[in-house]
Amino acid sequence: MMTSWLPSLITETPEAGYELAVKLSRLAVKLTQPDAEMREQLRPDYAEDADSLIAVSQVVATHFATVAAANNYWRG
Ligand code: HEM
């Protein structure tokens, strides 16, 4: 059976949940631009642009909201 790249949204801690949010964000970029060379070429553009970095943060925040909700905000 093929291993799922997203077996669960449940994480032990909020920190691990945030890492999952970053992973989800990066995966969308990888899926929409499968060419690794092209991604490497584009990396300096966003890495050195404040607005791009704010946009990155916003995408991660959106995923984090989903992950946090799925984990009932780690209320235990
Ligand atoms: C590196 C996140 C969008 C290409 C990184 C790193 C993070 C990150 C955290 C540092 C990894 C490390 O040093 O260990 C994100 C997020 C994105 C995003 C959350 C969108 C919401 C993009 C886009 C491109 C890109 C649009 C290019 C099309 C790269 C490349 C690297 C990198 C080439 C360096 C190689 C690597 O560490 O894999 N990104 N990124 N990223 N990103 Fe992004």
Side-chain angles (χ1 to χ4, degrees), residues 12 24 33 43 60 70:
E12 279 288 313
L24 290 172
Q33 179 45 272
R43 160 77 168 160
V60 174

Side-chain angles (χ1 to χ4, degrees), residues 43-61:
R43 160 77 168 160
D45 287 349
Y46 89 83
E48 293 171 24
D49 180 75
D51 288 342
S52 296
L53 294 171
I54 291 169
V56 165
S57 306
Q58 195 168 6
V59 172
V60 174

Side-chain angles (χ1 to χ4, degrees), residues 16 18 21 23 26 34 37 41 50-51 54 58 68-69 74:
Y18 199 82
K23 182 181 172 182
R26 296 189 77 186
E37 214 172 289
Q41 205 175 305
D51 288 342
I54 291 169
Q58 195 168 6
W74 297 275

Side-chain angles (χ1 to χ4, degrees), residues 30-42:
K30 203 174 166 185
L31 288 172
T32 49
Q33 179 45 272
D35 184 343
E37 214 172 289
M38 181 56 70
R39 289 198 306 271
E40 273 158 39
Q41 205 175 305
L42 293 170

